[in-house]
Amino acid sequence: FLYVSWGSEMCIRDSGDEAAFFLQKEVAKLPEKQRIVFNMRYFDGMTYQVISEILDTSIGALKASYHHAVRKIKTKLKKIILLKQIHSNKFHFVDKNLKLKNYNFEGDALITNKKKFPIAILTADCAPILIYDEKEKMIAAIHAGWKGAFKGIIKRTLNFMIKKGCAPKNITAVIGPCISVKNYEVKKDFIKKLIKKDGKNKKFFKKIKNKDFFNLKKYVHSQLKALNIKKIDIINKDTFNPKNNFFSARRSISRNENDYGRNISVIMIN
């Protein structure tokens, strides 16, 4: 009765892959050129320059095709609930009895006990965290970049769920694909900021060839453990590595690309 998905990868628990199937179905309905461009850009993560060379089409025309495709698909994907992410500690709870017609959520986590109600967050190196309480039948989707995790988005979201009747022993947390420590170089002021808050945060940094790197995955994992969450699954995929076929903000910036896509993490109670 629960499924979770990450971009082109799917991790299924029990049964159901409705959102991913729905997306593929809508993509299949697109005009041929828009469908090809959308697949190459969205699923394969190709730059417009590479697509232009393959299809022998101008970058301007490709961007137009892609954005037309996105607009068409978005009108069909309104059932998937997203929010405007702001790297905060703010969350929203959608109760099963709430009739949601129009919404404009801003924050970095969604919580619900509503069935057939897929909630999702977008990432491009940050850690997506999906939560499920098997007894209370409550789920959450958390966008945990370093800023949100630093501000307490994980703790605030889990504490709210616990106040609603969830229990750590019944909770399963899944940390999705995010940037690896070897590709997350940081500056000295970043290190000082985290260590000033808690001296124990020193363990999340690693020095490689006289450069400093941050372990985001370990950082968010430790916060889950601090809340006594025992069942924690980790998808060990580095978003920065192009072989893993995920969008990465840092990779795009390092290549001087104009833009980059987003990975979507979806969870729903059937």
Side-chain angles (χ1 to χ4, degrees), residues 181-195:
V181 61
K182 67 179 181 180
N183 289 311
Y184 201 168
E185 185 180 353
V186 295
K187 296 180 180 179
K188 297 293 184 183
D189 57 345
F190 175 87
I191 299 173
K192 290 179 182 178
K193 186 180 182 73
L194 265 72
I195 293 178

Side-chain angles (χ1 to χ4, degrees), residues 6 85 87 108-109 121-131 141-149 153-154 174-180 184 214-221 223-224 233-235 237 239 247 263-265:
W6 282 278
Q85 297 169 190
H87 297 279
D108 289 276
I121 50 98
L122 302 174
T123 57
D125 279 335
C126 294
I129 303 175
L130 301 178
I131 308 291
I142 305 171
H143 167 239
W146 79 263
K147 288 182 181 178
I153 185 63
I154 298 170
V174 184
I175 302 172
C178 63
I179 193 167
S180 68
Y184 201 168
F214 178 60
N215 196 327
L216 176 63
K217 190 179 300 178
K218 189 176 179 181
Y219 183 52
V220 300
H221 182 265
Q223 293 191 12
L224 290 168
D233 293 337
I234 300 174
I235 308 299
K237 294 287 187 179
T239 49
F247 292 114
N263 309 303
I264 186 168
S265 302

Side-chain angles (χ1 to χ4, degrees), residues 18 26 29 67 76 85 105 108 110 131 147 153 157 159-160 170 176 179 192-193 210 225 263:
E18 296 170 25
E26 293 307 317
K29 293 178 182 178
H67 290 301
K76 299 293 184 179
Q85 297 169 190
F105 296 134
D108 289 276
L110 288 167
I131 308 291
K147 288 182 181 178
I153 185 63
T157 302
N159 281 344
F160 177 84
N170 299 323
I179 193 167
K192 290 179 182 178
K193 186 180 182 73
N210 209 34
K225 286 182 68 178
N263 309 303

Side-chain angles (χ1 to χ4, degrees), residues 60-113:
L62 292 173
K63 286 185 175 181
S65 291
Y66 180 75
H67 290 301
H68 281 311
V70 169
R71 190 159 54 246
K72 288 177 182 178
I73 290 171
K74 275 186 175 179
T75 63
K76 299 293 184 179
L77 293 183
K78 288 182 179 178
K79 292 181 180 178
I80 297 180
I81 307 302
L82 292 161
L83 73 173
K84 180 183 178 183
Q85 297 169 190
I86 54 174
H87 297 279
S88 68
N89 62 4
K90 188 177 180 180
F91 65 85
H92 295 272
F93 173 60
V94 180
D95 187 79
K96 60 185 176 183
N97 298 316
L98 179 66
K99 292 182 179 179
L100 196 65
K101 292 183 178 180
N102 297 310
Y103 68 92
N104 187 25
F105 296 134
E106 184 176 274
D108 289 276
L110 288 167
I111 309 168
T112 190
N113 54 5

Side-chain angles (χ1 to χ4, degrees), residues 3-21:
Y3 74 82
V4 298
S5 65
W6 282 278
S8 58
E9 287 216 347
M10 179 70 69
C11 172
I12 302 174
R13 300 180 176 278
D14 293 350
S15 66
D17 58 349
E18 296 170 25
F21 173 76

